[in-house]
Amino acid sequence: MKADLRLAVPVLCGWILLGILIGEPSWLGTGATWLWVLCVAAIGAGFAFSGFRGWLAVLALAGVCGALLLTSASLQLQVHAPDLLLASLGQQESFEVSIESSNCRPAEESGNGRTEVIIRSFGTEPDSVGGLSTPAVLFGNISDCRLGASFTVTGILRPEEPRRRWAFRIYATSNPVLVEQPGGLIAVAGGLREGLGSAAAELNSEAGDLLPGLAIGDTSEVGESLNSAMRLTSLSHLTAVSGANCAVLVGLTMAICIATGIPRTPRLILSLLVLGGFVVLVTPEPSVVRAAVMAAIVLYCIGSGRPSRGIPVLALAVLILLIANPWLACDYGFILSVAATAGLLILAAPIGRQLSRFLPNWLALILAIPIAAQLSCQPILILLNPNLPVYGVVANLLAEPAAPVATVLGLAACVFLALIPPVGSALLWLASFPSAWIAAVAQFLSSLPAAQLPWLEGWPGVISVALIDALILVALAGRNTGRRAIALGITALIFIGYAGAAFGIGLSFRLDLPDDWTIATCDVGQGDALVVKSLDRVALIDVGPEPQALSRCLVDLGIDKINLLVLTHYDLDHVGGLETILGRVDLALTGPIGSSTDSEIVDRLSRSGARVEAARAGMSGSLGELDWKLLWPIDPNRGVEPGNDSSVVIKFSPSPACSSGCISSIFLGDLGAQSQLRLLGEGGIGSADVVKVAHHGSADQFAALYQKIGAPIGLISVGAGNSFGHPNEACLDILEESGTKWFRTDLEGLVLLSGPDSSNLRVWTERAPVSVPGSG
């Protein structure tokens, strides 16, 4: 049966147009106006000439869809990103903001949370501005967060890119203060979530950590090891509540209603109510809302006696959601949810039919589902992670049968833990078995060699994967035997060639790495993670924004043990990768604590076995043949607040007996110009061979400090295409005037410095940089 694409194609055209123009908000109104004019002209031409049918009807419907979406985006623009709030950003640095949690996401592995909120007002009385409904992301832990809870927080606001689902980032400089918890259904849902989480935690196993994710999408207790394993094996979708969960829930509700003799209309209404309650319980992620809207459309069709088919239902759901929230157009979670659903609806059946020629029908169907989902999503996933999951299909084949069992039992346990706790505990215990199986599959397959293989980044990677997907699809589901054989042969040749190239590149990279490096600047994106090595001793300065990038760097460098960890301060881009090194640190020196979030990070280090000490100027020690000394922060009582300006500054100098890797270096954290001035005034800074440029090369620098250091080499740890404009031209000018040649991780990737001493410094970079004046 052919897929009905009459609505899907126009909606897709409108979606693409919206995705392009939403990045240029000033074009939305003009684009909508012209589209309405063209639609009216097309409809008029259709009736005047050939009748409103065929390609003209499709074109007109595509225009109507695009016009509706652009009009909606234009009308919502001032709600999404008010001009008044944007204008205020240039007038002051920090704001008091009233917020309402819109989606309590799990805290990041570092303990530095990331929560979706709605800005309701900003500023202090009597000059506060209210009546807002602006989406934002708060960086900072919210304790006891529930959907709809109201808070006040003081923080720094930064605008997001126009295409993002949230308009602003709020970097909390104080702990959020609870104003009011939600009541009613939201309060009940929060209690159910907490009850399941607490009971699952008592299982003291990975199965218990994973179970709330499988049942209600709560991954807050999933450790980095299991989280990484789920990603590597393409199983992370199992903890993203979506269509399968909604289908199971609605199906069970309908079955119970039929078994108890409830008439059709009441059971449809009850199913809708249960579906709405489920969305509140799991929080309204894009994939959840998409699945719920599709389920609601199907229930409406059943109630009205109208037929429903998968692709038209999906297309209508997408249109409704994009009209309601146009910024979903560029949201990866929403795009992947739609792509996976479309792949299952369009590709699973033909792939299953062809596979059933060689396999039993049940096995062909089980294989067709993960293959279809993987083919439809992989071109998009390449943009997020330019790697191919080698064991993804196998992992899904093994784990998929256990997922619905864990989901049903977990949901039942969630409810019964509140109603009849002994029954809930029994259900939870039963649900732990399929959960343990899924965790074991992920851990085992991710530990196998070459669990992921690198691929081209960006659009070249997307296009190449899409072409290979097309070849695989022809080979699996094509009707012509000759074409299937040709497609299979070409695909095999591509993968054989790729495997050889990947092996060669990987071997070349490992062989090319210098053995005698002393300083490494890891490419962790917009954040800091730098390594100093002397003999067999290792120091790590900050851990970057997320665990995966740091883990990859440490593996490349062959580092397992961290003898000295320095956390300069507690911004997410410096502590987000903490999970990677927990249990591997001997001594940790931590910056001044400014909030309970900071304290939690320190506590996690201590609980993992590290000896933790508060950093202060004058502390010293040794690392192999290098001596280290802390130059900053000075006494906190002397006017330096926790944060960037109290970043720990550490200097490494060769010991008198140093024989190799005798390179001096200074790491400046995120110090601003005022603190740099005070640091210089304290004396003792001295010169160095290498300087880690402060704050990713921002403009907030004190030139005299860099002139005093006089380092031949400057390291700038910065993310490609970051929204802060780092490194700033003013900073680069300061480095050039100081005689410092800079190296940037956004251009050169991993940077290694080696040499026996300062007169024989050698620089190795992962990739050749784009030509930038003054760079390495």
Side-chain angles (χ1 to χ4, degrees), residues 660-736:
S660 63
C662 306
I663 302 171
S664 60
S665 54
I666 293 178
F667 299 83
L668 295 175
D670 274 3
L671 283 191
Q674 288 299 317
S675 289
Q676 292 178 26
L677 168 62
R678 293 183 63 182
L679 173 63
L680 184 61
E682 290 292 318
I685 186 74
S687 61
D689 304 319
V690 179
V691 60
K692 200 292 293 188
V693 178
H695 204 185
H696 320 291
S698 75
D700 191 20
Q701 309 287 345
F702 186 58
L705 177 69
Y706 290 92
Q707 292 166 2
K708 175 67 174 179
I709 295 172
I713 300 295
L715 301 174
I716 305 176
S717 184
V718 63
N722 68 86
S723 59
F724 304 97
H726 297 162
N728 188 275
E729 286 296 328
C731 175
L732 299 181
D733 289 342
I734 289 173
L735 294 176
E736 189 169 1

Side-chain angles (χ1 to χ4, degrees), residues 45 77 93 127 227 233 273 287 303 349 357 445 456 507 544 554 587 631 673 675 701 716 746:
L77 191 58
E93 177 74 5
D127 301 319
N227 191 33
T233 54
L273 292 175
S287 60
R357 298 171 59 192
L445 291 178
L456 299 172
L507 181 62
L554 296 181
L587 171 64
L631 307 178
S675 289
Q701 309 287 345
I716 305 176
D746 61 333

Side-chain angles (χ1 to χ4, degrees), residues 303-328:
S304 61
R306 291 181 171 87
S308 62
R309 297 177 66 180
I311 291 299
V313 169
L314 175 62
L316 181 58
V318 168
L319 182 62
I320 291 170
L321 290 171
L322 289 179
I323 290 174
N325 185 357
W327 284 269
L328 287 174

Side-chain angles (χ1 to χ4, degrees), residues 375-732:
L375 289 176
S376 58
C377 291
Q378 195 58 56
I380 303 164
L381 290 170
I382 285 293
L383 290 173
L384 296 172
N385 178 22
N387 293 281
L388 297 178
V390 175
Y391 308 118
V393 171
V394 175
N396 278 275
L397 177 64
L398 294 173
E400 284 285 2
V405 179
T407 297
V408 171
L409 291 174
L411 279 173
C414 184
V415 175
F416 277 98
L417 282 167
L419 299 177
I420 311 174
V423 175
S425 297
L427 291 170
L428 189 71
W429 178 76
L430 290 173
S432 68
F433 290 99
S435 179
W437 169 253
I438 294 170
V441 168
Q443 293 284 24
F444 173 73
L445 291 178
S446 66
S447 67
L448 296 179
Q452 275 194 336
L453 295 177
W455 195 256
L456 299 172
E457 297 183 9
W459 286 107
V462 173
I463 294 170
S464 58
V465 166
L467 291 174
I468 293 174
D469 279 0
L471 286 170
I472 294 174
L473 188 59
V474 172
L476 290 176
R479 296 183 178 181
N480 185 287
T481 304
R483 290 176 183 173
R484 288 205 310 271
I486 293 172
L488 183 60
I490 295 174
T491 304
L493 288 174
I494 289 173
F495 277 107
I496 291 171
Y498 168 77
F503 177 79
I505 292 171
L507 181 62
S508 174
F509 176 78
R510 294 291 189 277
L511 293 176
D512 194 35
L513 282 175
D515 294 329
D516 60 344
W517 64 270
T518 298
I519 299 173
T521 307
C522 293
D523 181 11
V524 293
Q526 183 68 14
D528 275 7
L530 300 102
V531 184
V532 178
K533 182 183 72 170
S534 180
L535 299 180
D536 60 346
R537 311 292 285 178
V538 172
L540 175 64
I541 298 96
D542 288 329
V543 294
E546 53 92 17
Q548 189 174 5
L550 177 64
S551 177
R552 183 172 60 247
C553 181
L554 296 181
V555 168
D556 288 342
L557 297 175
I559 292 173
D560 182 60
K561 188 72 174 175
I562 309 295
N563 304 106
L564 173 65
L565 171 68
V566 180
L567 290 184
T568 62
H569 61 299
Y570 302 95
D571 284 354
L572 184 65
D573 55 336
H574 293 256
V575 300
L578 187 69
E579 184 77 24
T580 298
I581 48 87
L582 291 178
R584 302 162 64 179
V585 177
D586 290 335
L587 171 64
L589 304 177
T590 58
I593 291 173
S595 69
S596 60
T597 300
D598 302 347
S599 298
E600 183 181 342
I601 293 171
V602 173
D603 290 344
R604 292 187 72 197
L605 271 171
S606 181
R607 290 195 302 267
S608 72
R611 179 164 59 92
V612 181
E613 296 184 16
R616 62 186 184 278
M619 295 178 70
S620 61
S622 61
L623 185 84
E625 294 185 326
L626 297 176
D627 295 328
W628 59 263
K629 183 177 182 181
L630 300 191
L631 307 178
W632 194 265
I634 54 174
D635 186 348
N637 296 322
R638 292 172 58 186
V640 179
E641 295 294 328
N644 286 355
D645 284 331
S646 65
S647 293
V648 178
V649 174
I650 186 169
K651 181 175 183 179
F652 291 89
S653 305
S655 66
C658 184
S659 60
S660 63
C662 306
I663 302 171
S664 60
S665 54
I666 293 178
F667 299 83
L668 295 175
D670 274 3
L671 283 191
Q674 288 299 317
S675 289
Q676 292 178 26
L677 168 62
R678 293 183 63 182
L679 173 63
L680 184 61
E682 290 292 318
I685 186 74
S687 61
D689 304 319
V690 179
V691 60
K692 200 292 293 188
V693 178
H695 204 185
H696 320 291
S698 75
D700 191 20
Q701 309 287 345
F702 186 58
L705 177 69
Y706 290 92
Q707 292 166 2
K708 175 67 174 179
I709 295 172
I713 300 295
L715 301 174
I716 305 176
S717 184
V718 63
N722 68 86
S723 59
F724 304 97
H726 297 162
N728 188 275
E729 286 296 328
C731 175
L732 299 181

Side-chain angles (χ1 to χ4, degrees), residues 96-100 148-153 176-182:
E96 182 177 300
V97 186
S98 295
I99 57 176
E100 180 180 300
S150 298
F151 298 85
T152 59
V153 62
V177 177
L178 177 66
V179 175
E180 184 181 8
Q181 281 283 22

